[in-house]
Structures are given as C-alpha cells and as structure tokens.
Amino acid sequence: MVALLTSTSTTQLPPLAFPSSSYSSSSPFYGARIAASGRAIYCPALTTLLPRPTTRGHSQSRLEFLRAAAVASVSVRSEMKAWVYEEYGSVDVLKLSDSVAVPQVKEDQVLIKVAAAALNPVDFKRRQGKFKATDSPLSTVPGYDVAGVVVKVGSQVKSLKEGDEVYGDVSEEALNGPKQFGSLAEYTAVEEKLLALKPKNITFAEAASFPLAIETAYQGLEKTGLSAGKSLLVLGGAGGVGSLVIQLAKHIFGASRIAATASTGKLEFLKSLGADLAIDYTKENFEELPEKFDVVYDAVGQCDRAVKAIKEGGSVVAITGAITPPGFRFVVTSDGEVLKKLNPYIEEGKITPVIDPEGPFPFDKVVEAFSYLETGHATGKVVIYPIP
C-alpha cells in the first residue's frame, strides 16, 4: 500500500490524474492505490520517499513515477516474463516465455524491476553464435542495457537501496562470459558496481539507451588519448555509439574539430550533435579528403580505410571488424563509475539520449526491434519500453 505524505512546501505540483477504472491484476499498479496531491509519496514497505516527477514530459514522467512507486510496493514473484533463446540463430529463435525463474540475487547484486531495455549489435551477434567460445551457457535471456527500480538488495550492497531508480550495462564483459539472464525480462540481477542512479532529468527509456553505448564511447576515446585541441573523425556518427562519441568529444574531451560520416539524410543530425563537418559516405570517400585527423573512432568496421585518414602519429580505435595497424580493437568493460562520472553532463543537458524514431518498441515487439536493428539503418539506439 502506498500512502500520501503531505508536504510543508508552498510550491505544489499539479495533482496527478487517475483513470476511473481499477487496475487489473496484471498491471504494475495492481495493489497500490495511490493518492498524489502532495510533493512526495511514502511507501511503508520501503520506508523511503519517492520524489514527485518534474514538469518535464508530464504524461510520461508521471506514469513512470507511479510505476516506480507501485513496483516498489509489491512482492517479487518467483516467475517472470522474459525473452529467451535456447539455440543460436536468426530472430526466429527468440521466444517470449511467461515462466522464467526470477534470478537469485548474489551478495554484491541488486534485483531490478526492469522498466526499459535497449538493443545493441553485440546482442544479435551473440544470438547468432559469433561468440560461442566465450559465451555463457544456453538458454539465454538477452539484453545488456537496463533501466529500472531496485526491488531487492544483496547483503554486501553498500550504496543502493530498494526503490532506487538505476541504469547500467548488466554484463561486466560483453563477450567473455556475459550474463545468462540479461535485461529483456521483467527482472534482472546486476552487480552494484555496474550501476548508477538514473539521471533525474531523463525517462527510463532514455536512460536505457545510454549504458553500453556511452561506456563504449567514453572508454574508447580515453584509449585513443583524445584531448583538448585534437581533431576527431567518427565513422558511423549517427549510430548508437557514434552519436555519443561526437557529444563526449565536444563537451568532455575538448576536441578542436569533429567530423563524422553518415548517409545523406542524417547529415544535419550530425551537426545538431556537435559535428563541425558532416561527410556523406554515399558520395565521398573520407580517406581521400585532404584533411587528416589526430584520432579516428571507427564504429562501423572500416579500419583499413580509417588508418589512411589520420595524421602522422595519429590513433585509430575500432569496435568492430578487422584491424589494420596502427589501428587497435577496443572492447568495453561495464563500469558504473563511468556512468556516475557522466551523470552531471546528462543532467545539465550537455549529453542527450538518442532514441531511434521507430521506437521505443513495446516488450512484445522485441523480434521486430531486432529485425530493424539488424538492417544497420537505426539512428541512435533501439529501445524496448515499456516492460510489464
């Protein structure tokens, strides 16, 4: 049960509107009758305060606020809905099950009621069996990116508590023994060190779009030695990683000039992210341009061409495809400290989420979402939201 806590503040947000009909037992709000005309809601089950949503995005932020409150106040079931595959293959191997066991929480983990998840190329490459040698055992609940509400904490968890809104990449190593139970499920168990509190100014769907991509972007730029005054070329600037590389390079690393490649229709989008030069890869060969760069971030697998676009002594980092020296491969390590470091930039609006306009895709459309991602034409991230 969730009860109202009245506020002594003279500044009041508008009251929340509720549908007249009762919620069904399948709703995340079942069993939580919520009155919300004050500034905070009190959950006796958690003895914690859940803040009222801001005026930004009234409908969605209020819905998410109510959802978080309701989720925090109900008991965790023993079984859950989750997407599963029991063999490697195409999207056809994905099945939605309603009888997957909720993962057990280890001492250093929290259990998250998943609100949103996001897809990455590594998700479908893993499902296709490209990392069999180092993969976790089948069957697999896919998904790396997660945003949701903590509903249970392990005995050694120090900084997170029930009711916290968090986000992160659930697998510390993307390719070497990734989690068997990922984020495309109602619940997922994640180590505390992989998570950060969700930035206050963004939705769960927006938060889910960040973790794997922004950690890959940030750590990759660190590896290249990008620093203030250096120039950067981003291959695949409109993608999930590339769109964040541009923003990070501009607002955090202090790049003096940023160029990026994309198709014809996405050139203005690159400029809106902070690119000084938008290169149409359908009309120009970037390696033949007279301008050369200190750093090239290759997010599309064209390292053999990328090394021709750097200045003498320049650096090329590639996250996919074959490697041509002096280029080098980079694989991200999930780290909640990176997210914590970047949270202020997100909350200040300097780093903004990019969700593909085809989405978010609802939970029952995961197959369609994967099929779309696998076309290679997505802008930013493909997000799954809401998750029941």
Side-chain angles (χ1 to χ4, degrees):
M1 198 69 170
V2 181
L4 174 68
L5 178 72
T6 58
S7 172
T8 58
S9 171
T10 57
T11 303
Q12 297 290 313
L13 292 174
L16 298 175
F18 296 90
S20 56
S21 59
S22 298
Y23 294 113
S24 71
S25 59
S26 62
S27 166
F29 308 119
Y30 180 70
R33 181 177 180 82
I34 300 174
S37 59
R39 291 189 56 81
I41 280 182
Y42 178 65
C43 288
L46 301 177
T47 61
T48 187
L49 291 177
L50 298 175
R52 284 290 304 274
T54 65
T55 54
R56 176 185 179 276
H58 284 283
S59 298
Q60 189 168 14
S61 66
R62 290 178 176 191
L63 175 61
E64 292 198 345
F65 167 71
L66 293 176
R67 186 179 191 281
V71 163
S73 67
V74 297
S75 298
V76 177
R77 303 188 307 275
S78 60
E79 293 186 336
M80 64 179 181
K81 293 180 180 179
W83 285 91
V84 182
Y85 57 88
E86 298 181 346
E87 59 181 325
Y88 294 114
S90 69
V91 293
D92 296 332
V93 302
L94 285 164
K95 306 297 179 187
L96 180 58
S97 172
D98 60 2
S99 58
V100 175
V102 173
Q104 296 296 310
V105 178
K106 297 178 182 177
E107 291 182 345
D108 62 341
Q109 292 180 330
V110 300
L111 186 68
I112 298 172
K113 178 65 181 76
V114 181
L119 307 184
N120 297 276
V122 68
D123 284 295
F124 67 76
K125 292 176 182 179
R126 179 187 178 191
R127 191 200 68 231
Q128 291 168 349
K130 294 185 178 181
F131 313 122
K132 282 183 183 180
T134 56
D135 201 359
S136 57
L138 296 171
S139 59
T140 297
V141 174
Y144 289 80
D145 289 321
V146 68
V149 181
V150 175
V151 293
K152 185 183 292 186
V153 298
S155 60
Q156 298 302 312
V157 171
K158 296 179 175 62
S159 62
L160 294 177
K161 63 183 184 303
E162 293 174 346
D164 281 344
E165 297 180 1
V166 295
Y167 74 130
D169 169 6
V170 306
S171 290
E172 185 169 10
E173 296 188 45
L175 308 182
N176 186 19
K179 276 201 173 64
Q180 187 175 6
F181 296 96
S183 59
L184 290 175
E186 290 185 87
Y187 296 92
T188 191
V190 188
E191 288 78 8
E192 179 184 28
K193 67 180 181 179
L194 306 184
L195 299 169
L197 293 176
K198 180 178 76 67
K200 298 180 178 65
N201 64 318
I202 62 174
T203 64
F204 282 114
E206 291 170 331
S209 75
F210 273 128
L212 182 59
I214 203 166
E215 290 178 23
T216 300
Y218 183 84
Q219 293 178 13
L221 287 174
E222 278 193 322
K223 296 286 186 182
T224 66
L226 183 67
S227 58
K230 290 186 177 182
S231 59
L232 169 72
L233 170 62
V234 186
L235 305 185
V241 173
S243 61
L244 292 167
V245 170
I246 294 171
Q247 297 184 69
L248 293 174
K250 182 178 181 67
H251 296 292
I252 296 179
F253 288 85
S256 60
R257 181 167 170 79
I258 302 171
T261 65
S263 58
T264 308
K266 298 178 181 179
L267 300 182
E268 290 304 314
F269 171 65
L270 295 183
K271 293 177 182 177
S272 73
L273 294 174
D276 302 294
L277 174 65
I279 301 169
D280 187 342
Y281 70 76
T282 69
K283 299 177 181 178
E284 294 183 280
N285 293 321
F286 63 83
E287 72 273 26
E288 296 176 359
L289 295 174
E291 182 177 3
K292 302 303 177 184
F293 302 87
D294 295 303
V295 172
V296 177
Y297 198 118
D298 176 18
V300 296
Q302 297 179 338
C303 190
D304 57 332
R305 297 171 60 193
V307 295
K308 300 175 183 178
I310 56 172
K311 298 176 181 178
E312 185 176 351
S315 181
V316 175
V317 60
I319 60 173
T320 187
I323 301 301
T324 300
F328 64 93
R329 183 183 303 283
F330 165 71
V331 179
V332 67
T333 298
S334 178
D335 186 356
E337 292 303 315
V338 172
L339 299 178
K340 293 173 185 177
K341 183 185 298 184
L342 297 177
N343 270 1
Y345 296 93
I346 297 172
E347 293 182 338
E348 292 166 9
K350 292 180 179 178
I351 308 298
T352 59
V354 180
I355 296 177
D356 187 273
E358 291 293 320
F361 290 79
F363 190 57
D364 62 352
K365 300 295 183 183
V366 163
V367 170
E368 290 84 348
F370 265 115
S371 296
Y372 176 65
L373 177 65
E374 291 173 44
T375 66
H377 298 308
T379 300
K381 291 297 292 292
V382 174
V383 171
I384 308 300
Y385 174 86
I387 293 179

